[in-house]
Amino acid sequence: MRRRSFLKSTLLSGLAASVLKSKMVDGAVLKESKGKVLVVSSYNGLRATEKAAQMILNGSDALDAVIAGVNIVENDPDDHSVGYGGLPNEEGVVELDSCVMHGPTHNAGAVAALRNIKNPSKVARLVMERTDHVLLVGEGALKFAKAHGFKEEDLLTDEARKIWLYWKEGLSDKDDWFLPPMDQIPEKYKKWIHTTGTITCLGLDLQGNISGVTTTSGLAFKIPGRVGDSPIIGAGLYVDNEVGACGSTGRGEENLKNLSCYQVVEYMRDGLSPEAACKKVLKRVIDHAKLPELKNSRGYPSFNLRLYALNKNGEFGSASIYGPAEFSVFDGKENKRRPSPFFYEWKYLK
Ligand code: ASP
């Protein structure tokens, strides 16, 4: 562990210990803690779990905490999978998807194909709290965000534009766009040309309440208007305050056909551990991937999907179709990445 992360992790565990001992934070006496504090996120969510854990330990509701956590990654121009700096659709326009779910009220809100607003998770929350609806898309979602004072901005960073341009130029040798020689394309861009991602973050707070958020720029270079799993309740996220929560990252289309997060929570309701529930649902996703384009030459899935879950008792787990894979967890003591079980090694994806 690097020194900075070690210090942060030590500070967090110190904060955790003092909260749990005195129940007194910032001068406010907290209600008796019903259990342990837990925050679970995807690989790219280590800063999110740290932020959310700090807030929860200071008495925040899990929903406030997980949204503040993912906002860090939404605002980061170097993360090309989420928010500002996210990879655009095939026309070079960034379109964002997000949803939130609040356990104590069993309420949810979402936005899809939202342009020009860098924190879709905040807009999703407002859909939940300030409308009678659950999901707003495209133009309507943008008008709604502007009505609430969000400022439009160009989300396409110079780096994301270059990655998109290389993708476009490399698409076909039968059109008029040419790639520069490969040795002139910086290495750091190459890894993104066919990569995408998402952040999901789930929290269990001092009151024993559970909430979650998922936010993404979706599949890179998608058809404009394409909506993935991330803003769909039951697919990209599901929370049941009496049971637990699940979030996902990876190929949204296969998740949408299986409503994986809902099913993980249902398996946890039946008594499965978070990890066992994630594995069981991914096994079903693999079995359901029958179309030839969803299989590679070995007969293995031609895509990846990852599930992350926590339950009411403070247990957590994750699983991935391909690995090695890791996810981010604050377990009440330490904030760090942990390995996820997986079905196939990365080298077998191609
Ligand atoms: N799940 C996201 C989507 O399909 C993409 C990803 O997580 O890689 O939009």
Side-chain angles (χ1 to χ4, degrees), residues 197-222:
T198 296
I199 181 169
T200 186
C201 192
L202 315 167
L204 172 65
D205 66 26
L206 288 166
Q207 316 310 323
N209 288 323
I210 302 169
S211 287
V213 57
T214 300
T215 176
T216 188
S217 49
L219 285 188
F221 323 126
K222 59 196 173 186

Side-chain angles (χ1 to χ4, degrees), residues 196-198 218-219 226 228-230 249-250 252:
T196 182
T198 296
L219 285 188
R226 177 264 187 188
D229 57 331
S230 306
T249 64

Side-chain angles (χ1 to χ4, degrees), residues 59-70:
S60 285
D61 178 82
L63 185 65
D64 295 329
V66 293
I67 292 176
V70 301

